[in-house]
Structures are given as C-alpha cells and as structure tokens.
C-alpha cells in the first residue's frame, strides 16, 4: 500500500512532505504566526485583501497551473464540484476536460424540482462521457439536515435513522434503503451521504440526534448495514459518516508526546468504534467521511497530521479499509484559520482522497490551480494523488459503468408523490409511548377545547411550509374541532398570549423539539413556566384539571426528565408522516409499538 507522505516536526521547524524534493520549511515563530497563534489576526496584503494564515505556508507554490497526462487525470478523479441545480451546467463543462472532475454534488437552495435535477444529472454524465472519462461521475445531493429532506419534498419522505431504530426491524430498514435507492436512481443520483455511524451519546447535538441509530452499538451496526444493503441493491452507494468521539481530537492533542499508537488502541476498542469497524469489514471499498474538517482546528498543519494519522492507523492499518475517504462537505467558514482555496490542498495532504472544492467559482478555480501547481512542484507528490485516484476508481467500479448510466430509463415526468404504504408502516412502527396508561384524550368530549403548543423551528427552505406542525393540528381537529394551535418561541418563553388559551383548555398537547444544545436551558425554563401555570390553574376553585400530553418530536432526551402528571409519547421528528402517526396514538386510535432506541 502506498503510504501518505508525513508532516514532520523537528523542534522549531515544520517540514512539509518532501519525498526528496527541496523542503519548504518555516521557523516555529513563522508557523505560530501563519496559523493564527499570534494575537495580530489576519494580515493585510498590498492589494488591500486579508491574508489568510495558510497563504504564507503555500505562497512558494509558483509552479504552472497546467498539468497533463496521468497526473492530471488522477487529480481530477479526486475532486468534487458543487453545482446548484438552478445553475447552467455549461458553466462547468470545461472542468470535465481539465482537470477531469470525477464527482459532482448537486445543491439545492430551495425546495428542489426533481424533474429538473434528473435532466441536469443526465447532462453532466454526457459531459463526462464526451471528455472520455473511463468511469461515470459519482453524483450526490447536498442535503440540508439529512438526505431525508430531499425525499420528502418531491418524492416519498421516509423516517430518519433514529425513527427507524425505534421500529427495531432490520428488514424494514433494508426495505426503506431499497425504496430510497430506487427514488434516487430514478433521477440519476448514485451516491448518498448516509448513514451516520456515530452513536447517540450525552454529547450528541440535539439536531444531530435523529441522524444516529441510537446508543446501542450492536443494534446501530445492524441497522446501518441494513440501510447500506438496501441502497446497494439499487446501485446507490452509501458514503458513511464516521467520526469516533474524540479520536481525531485526542490524536491532535497527543502529537508532541507521540502517543498515536496508544490513542489508536484506546479508541478502536470502544463500543463507539464497533459500527465503523463492522461497516468497513462488510464494505471495505465504499467511500467514507471520516474525522473532522481542517478548519475545525486552530492549527491546520497539525490537524492535517492528526487526521492523516487517524485515517492511516485506525481505518487502513487497524481495519483494513481500502476505500476513498471523503472531505467534509461543509463550506469553509470565513473566520477559519485556513482559506477556502487552500483547504483542498491541506485536505489531500491530511490523507483524505476525495476533495470538496469551494462553491464560489473564483475560489474553486484558484483551488484547482493551486492543486495543479502543488503536483507539478512535488509539494503534493504524484504518488499521493495516484494512490487516492486508484481508491476512487476501485470504489466506483463496484456500482458504476457507462452502459448502466447511459442506458438508464428516464423517470416518468413529472415525478409525483403518492401515499407510500412502506413509509406509513415504518412511521407507525416507530411511534413510542413513554407512558404505559391509555391516552388521556380517550373519553374527552368532542366539543372540548384542545390547545396544541408547538415550537417555532428552523425552516429548511425559504418556500417550505411555515409551520411543519400543521399536520398534527389537522389530525387532532378531526376528532376535536375546537383544537387551538398556538406556537411558542424558546427565546421568548411563556407569554401573555398563551395564558388565555391555557385557562380554557380541557386538554393540552405540548410538543418539544429542541434543535440546539444552546436552547436546552430555555426549553427547561419554558416547561417550568408551563407547569407553574398549570399548578396555579389546578389550585383555583371549580377548575377541572386539564388532561396533559407531551410529544417528543425530535431528540428523545427531551423527555428524559419525568413529566409528572403528563402522558408522554415520542415520534423522533416533525415530518408529516411522523406527526400523523403520533396523532393516531394520542387520539387512542391505535397502540404505539415502538421502543426507545437503546
């Protein structure tokens, strides 16, 4: 196996990988200044633009921006271009010739028109064929939040991984993977960034909880493999997201005392690592997102060494992984210690194989020129690029060939949405009753006032529905026409607007869906204020105590604190299917069969 070039640290000097060429070295003080350790911040260039720290490190790259032969073809296969589906594909047509881009991610800034995406993807594949690519393009979608957002806005919406885990059925998860694969393949998508192999832990962000398969490593492994198998059955490759908690960070911290081996042994033996090792054993050539982005660390050149050590020692040496590692799809922040145009070069030097180029055309073209110059000047050894390209080619060969791509039957246009029995069944199977008693709405008079309290949540797209909880309100109003749907904002808490509704309510249905750890305290304060208001009402004479229900429509940890006197149910997300399935349980129309993912 071709080993990646290593950064070396020699007391006061940082040496880039050399492979026998003249070294680019900097004194320690220069490194400190270049990577943001001084308090002066970015320096101004003569042209008035801010000089990013990484620019000092790579300003010796003055080689040609053109590159030919096998080196150019290899470099192109490692690069990923992002293209908004509204954009004219002719704007990137030349990139399939030079440098021979091998992968495209279609991005959507609004509710996507899947018919249009299908036509766009067909054009992109024909551009690659025109440029005489040996293999078709890998084409994915850039999802906001998760892959499931896209499959609910033009095609069937299926449950999130955490919802699927609550149903405890690997067969259902396989069927969902196959159904998702069919829908993606119908529009030409062959690559998708799922599943997340991280476990649900105390440090998992609330918004990320739904993308895990729960906290049990054995169960999460079975569910992840079932989903990957279902996708693969339709020739759609899953790019798993693997980020063992703390692994890269711990290696980053241990560089100076050279304890890499100890860190590898420590992390590879934990339960958090089981899903990663098991997926690699089953699919050793699949692509995988691993570790962290360069810009997430305060010192990019040391983070590059940390990520490379993690990839080589944990994935390749320990687990026998032979597939390509994929860089983070997140945009490089403006305040990062590495600029967007240099991030791809640092990424491949850190041992990753498939590099996300910046979305901005100017920064993208600059990145390509820098990468070409780095290869031409041997700052980026051609052996490193060829090894990465070989892993990409081996990965593609598993599921892509030109006959399959060019002979794909176009989908019937327009793509329409119809009720899906599988989606309905898995949503129903996931709904989990936390309370063992029957629903308190049973026996409530139909003319009773039911107050539905729902949080204001982030809208995924500007033209998406303003209130995603409307399906829940509609379902309740069919049995209780006097249902009153009232929104709350965690930043404002319980206000005078809510109190008159609470005074008249015969039943209160509270929905919790915290999307950030920053709002945990605010949510606790809102729930506390609501409880106090209910206690004050219960203490008043001639007041009938309202029936109280709480629905967890997100992170199940929202319900871990006992809601004394409240009947609790969890549906794990606020998609239409999940809310309608929860409403059936709340109304007593069926019993919940889901279980909290262990």
């Amino acid at each position: 196996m071709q080993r990646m070039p290593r950064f070396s640290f020699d007391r006061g000097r940082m040496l880039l990988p050399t492979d026998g060429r003249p070294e680019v070295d900097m004194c320690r003080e220069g490194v400190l200044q270049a990577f943001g350790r001084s308090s002066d911040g970015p320096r101004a260039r003569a042209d008035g633009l801010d000089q990013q720290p990484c620019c000092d490190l790579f300003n010796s790259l003055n080689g040609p921006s053109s590159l030919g032969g096998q080196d150019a073809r290899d470099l192109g296969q490692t690069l990923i271009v992002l293209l908004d589906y509204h954009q004219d594909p002719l704007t990137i047509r030349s990139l399939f010739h030079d440098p021979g881009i091998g992968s495209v991610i279609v991005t959507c800034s609004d509710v996507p028109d899947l018919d249009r995406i299908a036509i766009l993807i067909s054009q992109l594949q024909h551009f690659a064929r025109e440029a005489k690519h040996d293999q078709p393009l890998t084409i994915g979608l850039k999802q906001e939040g998760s892959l499931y957002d896209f499959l609910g806005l033009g095609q069937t919406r299926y449950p999130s991984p955490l919802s699927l885990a609550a149903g405890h059925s690997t067969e259902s998860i396989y069927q969902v993977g196959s159904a998702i694969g069919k829908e993606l393949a119908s529009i030409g998508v062959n690559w998708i960034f799922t599943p997340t192999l991280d476990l649900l832990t105390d440090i998992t962000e609330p918004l990320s909880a739904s993308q895990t398969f729960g906290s049990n490593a054995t169960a999460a492994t079975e569910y992840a493999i079932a989903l990957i198998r279902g996708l693969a059955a339709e020739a759609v490759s899953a790019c798993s997201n693997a980020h063992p908690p703390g692994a890269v960070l711990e290696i980053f911290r241990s560089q100076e005392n050279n304890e890499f081996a100890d860190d590898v042994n420590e992390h590879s033996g934990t339960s958090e690592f089981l899903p990663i090792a098991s997926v690699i054993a089953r699919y050793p050539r699949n692509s995988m997102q691993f570790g962290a982005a360069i810009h997430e660390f305060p010192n990019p050149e040391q983070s590059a060494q940390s990520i490379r050590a993690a990839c080589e020692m944990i994935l390749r040496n320990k687990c026998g992984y032979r597939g390509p590692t994929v860089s983070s799809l997140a945009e490089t922040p403006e305040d990062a210690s590495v600029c967007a145009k240099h991030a791809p070069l640092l990424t491949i030097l850190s041992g990753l194989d498939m590099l996300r180029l910046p979305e901005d055309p100017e920064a993208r073209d600059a990145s390509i020129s820098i990468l070409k110059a780095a290869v031409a000047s041997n700052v980026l050894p051609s052996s490193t690029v060829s090894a990465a390209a070989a892993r990409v080619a081996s990965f593609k060969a598993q599921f892509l060939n030109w006959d399959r791509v060019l002979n794909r039957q176009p989908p019937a246009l327009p793509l329409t949405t119809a009720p899906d029995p599988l989606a309905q069944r898995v949503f129903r199977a996931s709904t989990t009753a936390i309370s063992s008693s029957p629903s308190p709405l049973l026996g409530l008079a139909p003319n009773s006032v039911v107050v539905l309290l729902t949080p204001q949540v982030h809208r995924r797209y500007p033209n998406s529905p303003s209130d995603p909880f409307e399906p829940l309100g509609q379902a309740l109003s069919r049995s209780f026409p006097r249902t009153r749907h009232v929104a709350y904002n965690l930043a404002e808490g319980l206000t005078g607007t809510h109190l008159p509704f609470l005074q008249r309510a015969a039943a209160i249905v509270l929905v919790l869906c915290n999307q950030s750890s920053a709002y945990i305290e605010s949510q606790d304060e809102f729930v506390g204020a609501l409880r106090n208001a209910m206690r004050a009402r219960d203490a008043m004479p001639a007041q009938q105590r309202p029936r109280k229900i709480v629905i967890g429509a997100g992170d199940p940890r929202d319900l871990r604190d006992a809601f004394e006197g409240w009947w609790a149910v969890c549906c794990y997300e606020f998609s239409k299917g999940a809310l309608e399935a929860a409403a059936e349980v709340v109304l007593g129309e069926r019993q919940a069969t889901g279980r909290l993912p262990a």
Side-chain angles (χ1 to χ4, degrees):
M1 178 186 299
Q2 172 68 42
R3 292 186 61 83
M4 298 293 131
R6 300 186 62 84
F7 288 95
S8 59
F9 288 80
D10 180 18
R11 297 190 181 274
R13 298 156 65 88
M14 187 279 287
L15 309 178
L16 282 169
T18 62
D19 286 4
R21 68 190 183 284
E23 296 173 347
V24 179
D25 62 41
M26 303 172 65
C27 68
R28 183 169 181 79
E29 181 59 30
V31 172
L32 294 178
Q33 293 177 358
F35 289 97
R37 295 190 191 175
S38 73
S39 58
D40 298 335
R43 290 166 301 288
R45 298 192 324 215
D47 56 10
L49 299 176
D50 286 340
Q51 176 84 347
Q52 290 289 79
C54 56
C55 298
D56 287 345
L57 185 60
F58 294 117
N59 62 12
S60 62
L61 293 178
N62 297 316
S65 60
S66 62
L67 193 68
Q70 190 61 45
D71 285 346
R73 290 190 292 272
D74 287 344
L75 179 62
Q77 287 303 301
T78 69
L79 303 181
I80 304 170
V81 164
L82 278 71
L83 179 73
D84 188 278
Y85 84 102
H86 291 294
Q87 189 176 343
D88 185 348
L90 291 174
T91 59
I92 65 167
R93 187 176 188 174
S94 64
L95 297 180
F96 298 112
H97 293 270
D98 181 16
I101 297 295
S103 302
V104 178
I105 295 178
V106 178
T107 66
C108 300
S109 55
D110 55 14
V111 177
D113 179 343
L114 296 181
D115 303 340
R116 184 170 181 169
I117 290 177
I119 295 170
L120 170 65
I121 289 174
S122 180
Q123 289 177 298
L124 295 174
Q125 292 288 16
H126 279 87
F127 289 163
R129 185 63 167 169
E130 169 191 83
K132 302 186 185 315
H133 283 213
D134 293 334
Q135 295 174 301
L137 303 172
T138 41
I139 296 185
L141 290 172
K142 184 183 179 185
Q143 304 88 11
E144 181 165 341
S146 76
L147 71 100
Y148 306 92
D149 295 337
F150 280 89
L151 300 176
L153 296 172
Q155 297 178 281
T156 309
R157 168 69 186 256
Y158 291 101
S160 66
L162 193 61
S163 296
L164 292 172
H168 293 272
S169 170
T170 53
E171 179 59 27
S172 291
I173 295 173
Y174 171 83
Q175 293 173 2
V176 167
S178 178
I180 291 173
K182 281 187 175 74
E183 295 189 344
L184 291 174
S186 74
I187 59 174
V189 174
N190 52 42
W191 196 30
I192 193 159
F193 300 93
T194 191
T196 292
L197 302 181
D198 298 344
L199 300 181
L200 179 62
T201 68
D202 288 340
I203 64 172
T204 304
E205 269 291 317
L207 191 59
S208 302
S210 66
Q211 297 311 302
T212 74
F213 281 112
S215 57
N216 183 282
T218 302
T221 299
E222 293 176 357
Y223 300 153
I225 290 176
L227 185 64
I228 295 170
R229 282 196 303 114
L231 290 163
E234 305 302 329
V236 173
S237 183
C239 181
S240 303
N241 187 346
H243 187 228
V248 176
L249 181 60
E250 288 300 321
I251 292 175
F252 174 78
R253 289 172 174 167
S254 68
Q255 287 183 101
E256 291 187 359
N257 51 25
N258 199 26
E259 295 177 348
F260 291 155
D262 292 340
D263 287 323
V264 168
N265 290 330
E266 176 184 351
H267 287 288
S268 61
T270 62
S271 61
E272 289 91 347
F273 194 72
L274 177 63
I276 299 172
S278 300
V279 167
I280 289 175
R282 184 70 177 267
Y283 301 99
R285 291 191 294 160
N286 272 19
S287 60
M288 180 175 288
Q289 285 186 284
F290 180 79
I294 293 287
H295 61 70
E296 293 177 6
F297 292 83
N299 188 319
E301 92 278 11
Q302 288 190 6
S303 69
Q305 183 177 14
S306 304
I307 294 172
R308 180 173 52 255
C311 287
E312 286 189 356
M313 299 180 71
I314 296 179
L315 291 188
R316 305 207 184 279
N317 297 348
K318 192 81 174 179
C319 298
Y321 178 56
R322 302 196 302 275
T325 45
V326 183
S327 69
S328 169
L329 299 183
E331 189 76 28
T332 304
E334 292 183 1
D335 59 350
S337 55
V338 55
C339 66
K341 67 181 181 181
H342 285 126
L345 176 55
L346 276 165
T347 297
I348 194 169
L349 288 173
S350 73
L352 302 188
D353 303 305
M354 300 182 75
L355 319 175
R356 173 207 184 282
L357 294 173
E359 282 190 70
D360 177 72
E362 184 177 352
R364 178 195 67 209
D365 293 344
S367 287
I368 293 172
S369 294
I370 289 168
L371 286 164
K372 288 179 178 179
V375 175
S377 62
N378 210 29
V379 168
L380 173 57
S382 59
S383 59
T384 297
V385 179
S386 64
R391 285 190 282 267
V392 173
S394 177
F395 151 66
K396 285 186 174 185
Q398 299 178 108
F399 65 101
L400 280 179
N401 62 67
W402 278 118
D403 286 341
R404 177 184 294 157
V405 168
L406 297 180
N407 295 325
R408 178 179 63 85
Q409 293 298 316
L413 300 179
L415 295 170
T416 57
T417 301
D420 187 303
L422 172 62
Q424 187 178 53
R425 174 164 58 84
V426 291
F427 274 123
R428 285 175 170 170
S430 69
T431 309
T432 305
I434 310 299
S435 305
S436 57
S437 59
S439 169
L441 292 189
L442 288 172
L444 188 66
N447 64 345
S448 300
V449 174
V450 175
V451 173
L452 173 63
L453 290 172
T454 63
Q456 293 179 353
V457 294
H458 170 65
R459 294 172 61 185
R460 290 179 174 85
Y461 304 101
N463 56 345
S464 61
S466 58
D467 190 348
F469 297 101
E470 187 175 337
L472 178 59
Q474 292 173 341
L476 294 176
S477 65
R478 284 193 286 270
S479 295
F480 299 97
R482 298 180 69 191
T483 296
R484 302 293 181 260
H485 187 176
V486 186
Y488 66 87
N489 187 314
L490 289 180
E492 298 175 2
L494 194 69
T495 68
T497 302
H498 302 108
L499 296 178
F501 289 99
L502 298 178
Q503 291 299 323
R504 298 197 305 269
I508 297 169
V509 180
L510 168 66
V511 177
L512 296 178
C513 184
N514 180 26
Q515 295 183 294
S516 170
S517 58
Y519 286 101
I520 290 177
E521 185 175 342
S522 298
Q523 179 170 274
D524 291 343
E525 290 175 355
F526 177 83
V527 171
L530 179 60
R531 286 174 173 172
N532 291 336
M534 290 296 94
R535 292 193 191 100
R537 175 183 160 171
D538 293 344
M540 295 176 63
Q543 285 282 349
Q544 182 180 0
R545 292 189 175 186
R547 307 181 188 197
K548 299 183 281 289
I549 295 172
V550 57
I551 300 176
D555 189 342
R557 295 172 297 179
D558 288 340
L559 302 177
R560 61 186 164 189
D561 294 328
F563 276 76
E564 184 179 354
W566 290 71
W567 191 84
V569 65
C570 190
C571 63
Y572 306 99
E573 57 185 276
F574 51 89
S575 63
K576 183 175 183 290
L579 294 173
E580 289 177 341
E584 294 173 349
V585 173
V586 169
L587 292 170
E589 297 173 355
R590 66 177 182 89
Q591 290 187 335
T593 58
R595 304 194 307 272
L596 287 172

